[in-house]
Structures are given as C-alpha cells and as structure tokens.
C-alpha cells in the first residue's frame, strides 16, 4: 500500500470531497470537506483499504483563518499493512460541529470528548459529550489561541534566555 494508491482510490470514490493532499514526513494527509469526513472515514474502514483502527482525534485552532478557524484531525491506521493516514476537516468557529464517529469506532468516544473539552468542537450524535478533563465551570476551552502565552508585564524574564 502506498500514498499514491490510497489517494487514487479515495479520489476515485470521492472526487469532490478531497480539497488538498500532502505528504509531510511521508504520511498521506488529506483535507476533506467537513460534510463528507464521516463518509470518507466510513469508506476507509469498510472498503478493501481496511483502515480499521482510529489512532487519534484532536482539534486545531487557526485564529488567523476565519473560514477555517477550527479543525478536527483524524489519524487512521491499517494494521494489516502498517499504513497510516491523516485526515483534516475545517469549519468556521460558529459552525464547528462535526458528526461523531462513535458508531464507527468505539474509541472515538473519549477522544471526541477531549476535543470538545479543549477546543469546544461539537460532535453531533455523540452519546455523552461533556467535559472530562477540565473543571465543568471553567468557562472557556484552554487550547484555543485566545490568550497570550506569557504575561507581557513581567520584568523578571530576559527574552535573550529564550532565543528571542
């Protein structure tokens, strides 16, 4: 199994769904339309491609890109061929709702809850979407890039020590 083979198979099956493809560090990475991501993952699992293991689900925040501000990243693994693929889907912040994968992969349950907890991304159809790691009354999602990394008023730090 090669990146070209998987890309060609998916392009044939979902010609309008793949928005972009790349191979960072040799791993096939596809950007998929938000509304098609579950169909593509379902096909990857149930077709002869046999991506039968969901390794990870996580979020990403690009505040400088309002049209693609929040995204969900899925890592799938074909254990038989030891082949991995990364899928990304993006949405505007106010439209950050994705379909749950809990009906396809039981392991998606906690990963989607963690992504909701840290990024505020809603997974429609999730059986128990609630906070699991943060305090329930926290009031914000800590992985969103909404706050400065450091306190700009501190004078006890010398930026030269940090390569700046």
């Amino acid at each position: 199994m090669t990146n070209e083979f998987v890309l060609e198979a998916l392009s044939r099956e979902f010609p309008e769904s793949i928005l972009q493809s790349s191979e960072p560090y040799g791993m096939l990475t596809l950007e998929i339309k938000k509304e098609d991501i579950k169909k593509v993952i379902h096909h990857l699992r149930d077709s002869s491609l046999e991506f039968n293991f969901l390794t990870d689900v996580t979020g990403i925040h690009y505040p400088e890109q309002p049209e693609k501000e929040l995204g969900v990243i899925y890592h799938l693994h074909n254990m038989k061929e030891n082949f991995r693929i990364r899928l990304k889907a993006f949405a505007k912040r106010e439209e950050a709702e994705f379909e749950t994968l809990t009906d396809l992969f039981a392991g998606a349950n906690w990963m989607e809850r963690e992504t909701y907890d840290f990024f505020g991304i809603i997974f429609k159809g999730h059986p128990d979407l609630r906070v699991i790691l943060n305090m329930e009354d926290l009031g914000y999602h800590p992985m969103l890039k909404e706050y400065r990394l450091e306190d700009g008023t501190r004078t006890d730090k010398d930026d030269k020590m940090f390569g700046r």
Side-chain angles (χ1 to χ4, degrees):
M1 186 174 285
T2 64
N3 289 346
E4 295 78 23
F5 175 79
V6 174
L7 179 58
E8 183 181 318
L10 286 175
S11 297
R12 199 172 38 251
E13 191 70 28
F14 303 98
E16 303 295 318
S17 299
I18 300 172
L19 301 174
Q20 188 177 347
S21 69
S22 61
E23 295 182 20
Y25 303 103
M27 180 186 284
L28 180 60
T29 302
L30 303 175
E31 183 181 335
I32 308 292
K33 286 183 181 176
K34 173 187 154 188
E35 56 273 6
D36 296 339
I37 190 72
K38 186 169 183 173
K39 288 188 289 190
V40 171
I41 291 173
H42 194 276
H43 176 76
L44 284 167
R45 187 192 75 167
D46 291 346
S47 70
S48 60
L49 296 172
E50 297 184 271
F51 282 90
N52 51 13
F53 186 73
L54 178 66
T55 307
D56 189 32
V57 175
T58 191
I60 193 161
H61 183 212
Y62 293 122
E64 68 283 353
Q65 298 180 26
E67 294 297 313
K68 295 166 56 169
E69 186 171 354
L70 284 173
V72 179
I73 301 172
Y74 303 91
H75 289 98
L76 296 155
H77 194 167
N78 174 325
M79 299 289 235
K80 202 186 259 186
E81 301 284 334
N82 193 25
F83 189 87
R84 298 172 191 265
I85 188 171
R86 177 186 301 121
L87 302 174
K88 298 178 180 183
F90 293 95
K92 294 178 181 180
R93 185 166 184 169
E94 57 275 0
E95 299 171 1
E97 285 190 8
F98 294 81
E99 292 185 61
T100 185
L101 295 184
T102 54
D103 54 334
L104 299 177
F105 298 99
N109 190 328
W110 285 83
M111 291 184 260
E112 288 177 354
R113 287 176 69 183
E114 180 185 50
T115 303
Y116 165 71
D117 198 358
F118 285 109
F119 292 92
I121 297 170
I122 306 293
F123 291 94
K124 293 184 292 190
H126 192 282
D128 189 18
L129 193 61
R130 61 185 161 99
V131 171
I132 57 172
L133 296 170
N134 291 315
M135 298 180 303
E136 288 183 27
D137 60 346
L138 187 61
Y140 66 95
H141 302 284
M143 293 300 289
L144 296 179
K145 299 174 184 173
E146 298 177 324
Y147 306 100
R148 294 177 53 131
L149 293 177
E150 295 180 24
D151 182 358
T153 63
R154 287 186 63 177
T155 57
D156 62 328
K157 290 179 120 180
D158 183 1
D159 279 351
K160 289 183 283 191
M161 301 295 286
F162 299 98
R164 295 182 224 139

